Amino acid sequence: MLAGGDDGVPDGIGMARLAWTRLPTAEGAGPSTSAAADDELFSAAAVESLDYEVIENYAYREEQAQRSKFWVPYYVMLKWLFSLLIGVGTGLAAIFINLAVENFSGWKYTATFAIIKHSYFVGFFVYTVFNLALVFSSVYIVTNFAPAAAGSGIPEIKGYLNGVDTHGILLFRTLVGKIFGSIGSVGGGLALGKEGPLVHTGACIASLLGQGGSAKYHLSSRWVRIFESDRDRRDLVTCGCAAGVAAAFRAPVGGVLFALEEVTSWWRSHLMWRVFFTSAVVAVVVRSAMNWCNSGKCGHFGAGGFIIWDISGGQEDYSYQELFPMAIIGVIGGLLGALFNQLTLYITKWRRTYLHKKGKRVQIFEACLISLVTSIISFVLPLLRKCSPCPQLETNSGIECPHPPGTDGNFVNFYCSKDKEYNDLATIFFNTQDDAIRNLFSAKTFHEYSARSLITFLVMFYSLAVVTFGTAVPAGQFVPGIMIGSTYGRLVGMFVVKFYKKLNIEEGTYALLGAASFLGGSMRMTVSLCVIMVEITNNLKLLPLIMLVLLVSKAVGDFFNEGLYEEQARLRGIPLLDSRPKQVMRNMSARDVCRNQKVVSLPRVSRVVDIVSVLRTNKHNGFPVVDRGQNGESLVIGLILRSHLLVLLQAKVDFQNSPFPCGPGVLNRHNFSDFVKPASSKGKSIDDIHLTEDELGLYLDLAPFLNPSPYVVPEDMSLAKVYNLFRQLGLRHVFVVPRPSRVVGLITRKDLLLEEDGNTAMAELQSTSGLAEWQIARR
């Protein structure tokens, strides 16, 4: 085994020279190695790839060697502590948002119902102004304080966990804007939900904890700043995403599966434990808050804001005759979900191209106009429906008809002439979305809604949801999707009840299946959504039916387009890598995708002026570093990141007068933490670095700071295999090289199963054993 290179630098350069092949020239017939450049789409969309790969340069190895034996236990303990804090923080944020939305809605509805008894128009004016004030506060916060807080945030977080960093999505101001913006947009009655923003909120809390707080707002602590790599931060953000779903739906297992299925593209068992622990903490925090609110200490409407649509007292069994209409619900969900995705894509494109470019005032005016239209529709449409007499209800059902004004429940008396009457359309409009869904899911309420009212609400709310999604406010689509699905689901349930008169059928059961079908047709989630629907309805008997409609709706939706988050991510310029490569990639090689690329490489000892010139003329974020071999041929010895070059140029301490490799003594000038990019910053720019003429004429040895062992693929490897390698390992750069000329060894599974008994000689003996059974295992 060979030691370091001839220059004596103990960073593996000598080994790299033996193991690496020659770098082809741009003029040669062979393919040109990629310049380790990110796609041009990245710079156009102000996004950048994350460095999940560990840069094993000399500074990293020195830091690893100097760590005490207590560092690893402290590191693990801090990870679990942060998992606990993420769960508590996200749970508290969800409690605050829920209580604020419910109390604002409660005050709004109480004032409106009290005023319309005396004057309908004054009540309408108060209702509209209340909604406008809340929506204006939301859009003003987003446009003037936290632009990254607009939308649900799930496409951006999904991109982050896919390896793409969009600037600003995890800032402290984004967290504040998300929380208060969600209160305004949801409390203002827009056709939006707070569940998607809660996922973004959990991710922001996790990121801020991982970087020790916010230095800009002087809320930081140094003793927790050990998560300095993108890999550690990614794990924390994954916990935050799961915590957001668990807090939004009170579905801890669903939160774990959502993070696994929908947002992250890289997973391991240790991360599963921490994500599960975080979701469990959220469940405990939210449950404690619910018990506290049930005692009446959460204010007006405060007890109704935590999502749990318990339909365990509903339909106990189902007949095989019902499977066909349930499959029809799945088809309807797939069609409406795919249509929703396509319409929101077109409208968002138009909005970004023609509307939002005109400035903040136009964005504020747009949101307020949609709020005004929503208020008019919700206040005028119920007048078009006649009030219905209250039905005979069971004494133990816990349902009143009509329910007292200013409280949540079924059977709303909206401008009815008699006391024992209710307006079925107002029952949906004049409740918070959570309570309206609870009404649609409710059992033992036959004929509460007429078919005409459900169709009217479906058309209007579907249209409002399409138009509202994409405005400059925090916007989630979980609950609006459930509203849409439960409406046509209950409508189908009414026809089934009428057709199968002898079966014990509940309309609320079909409303639940409709909600699942629309979410499956729009978001294309399966396992996680199935578990979430079971957890929030507390009815395990409906699991096979939910699975059925999800499979059907997803299959139908996939025939037309991609899921909502994938479409929105592509629209925002976030280059997501799908779970599997395209079929055409199996007929392409790595050589094909880099055939026209020209290598932009740096010599091991480079002049400072040449480095500055390369950084100014190229947008690449990584460069191959080459050196001369013993025969005068060019050998690639590693990869140097753009961010590392900027750190070296700004520090200036490694500049040297000699164009020869430096000695090992100069390597102690940097710690590994010097090269860490802040999570909430764009990092350094070449325009921020000022060098004198004398400094530009000096030299810089790149060997101690490069990554001597990046991932390499042969030029004729299938592009599909390169794709899987890139996505599953979370890579940022892959070198494409000619076919290697020699083999220095062959590693099998057995070589990775060394006995950890502290005896290195025994480990080597086992690794090179020639026993027959081991030989068979190696083949």
Side-chain angles (χ1 to χ4, degrees), residues 112 115-127 375-384 414-415 430:
T112 301
I115 294 173
I116 61 175
K117 292 181 178 180
H118 307 285
S119 174
Y120 176 83
F121 293 101
V122 176
F124 168 71
F125 177 78
V126 171
Y127 179 80
S375 299
I376 292 174
I377 290 175
S378 60
F379 217 90
V380 172
L381 282 183
L383 293 180
L384 304 180
F414 180 79
Y415 214 62
F430 283 90

Side-chain angles (χ1 to χ4, degrees), residues 172 208 211-221 225:
F172 177 73
L208 290 170
Q211 63 179 331
S214 175
K216 181 177 180 180
Y217 297 98
H218 306 289
L219 299 172
S220 60
S221 175
R225 277 192 217 159

Side-chain angles (χ1 to χ4, degrees), residues 41-63:
L41 177 63
F42 284 44
S43 58
V47 297
E48 184 179 339
S49 289
L50 295 168
D51 290 297
Y52 290 156
E53 184 185 0
V54 177
I55 308 299
E56 296 178 342
N57 56 17
Y58 181 78
Y60 172 79
R61 296 179 180 181
E62 280 289 298
E63 182 177 282

Side-chain angles (χ1 to χ4, degrees), residues 84-240:
L84 172 66
L85 295 178
I86 291 170
V88 173
T90 308
L92 293 177
I95 293 169
F96 176 73
I97 294 174
N98 276 324
L99 295 186
V101 169
E102 289 293 316
N103 280 283
F104 277 127
S105 300
W107 297 330
K108 175 177 64 178
Y109 292 136
T110 300
T112 301
F113 280 100
I115 294 173
I116 61 175
K117 292 181 178 180
H118 307 285
S119 174
Y120 176 83
F121 293 101
V122 176
F124 168 71
F125 177 78
V126 171
Y127 179 80
T128 304
V129 170
F130 210 111
N131 284 338
L132 272 176
L134 289 173
V135 173
F136 175 80
S137 67
S138 175
V139 68
Y140 186 84
I141 290 172
V142 170
T143 54
N144 291 274
F145 181 71
S152 69
I154 293 181
E156 289 81 1
I157 299 302
K158 185 172 182 177
Y160 183 89
L161 295 177
N162 196 259
V164 181
D165 185 16
T166 305
H167 176 68
I169 62 171
L170 298 175
L171 296 175
F172 177 73
R173 63 166 56 195
T174 303
L175 172 63
V176 175
K178 210 72 178 183
I179 293 176
F180 289 96
S182 298
I183 294 172
S185 61
V186 180
L190 294 180
L192 303 170
K194 56 183 179 294
E195 287 66 34
L198 266 176
V199 176
H200 194 176
T201 298
C204 289
I205 293 173
S207 178
L208 290 170
L209 285 173
Q211 63 179 331
S214 175
K216 181 177 180 180
Y217 297 98
H218 306 289
L219 299 172
S220 60
S221 175
R222 292 185 177 181
W223 69 275
V224 295
R225 277 192 217 159
I226 67 171
F227 300 104
E228 297 177 330
S229 68
D230 289 332
R231 179 177 296 187
D232 289 333
R233 291 168 180 166
R234 171 192 60 188
D235 291 351
L236 293 176
V237 171
T238 304
C239 293

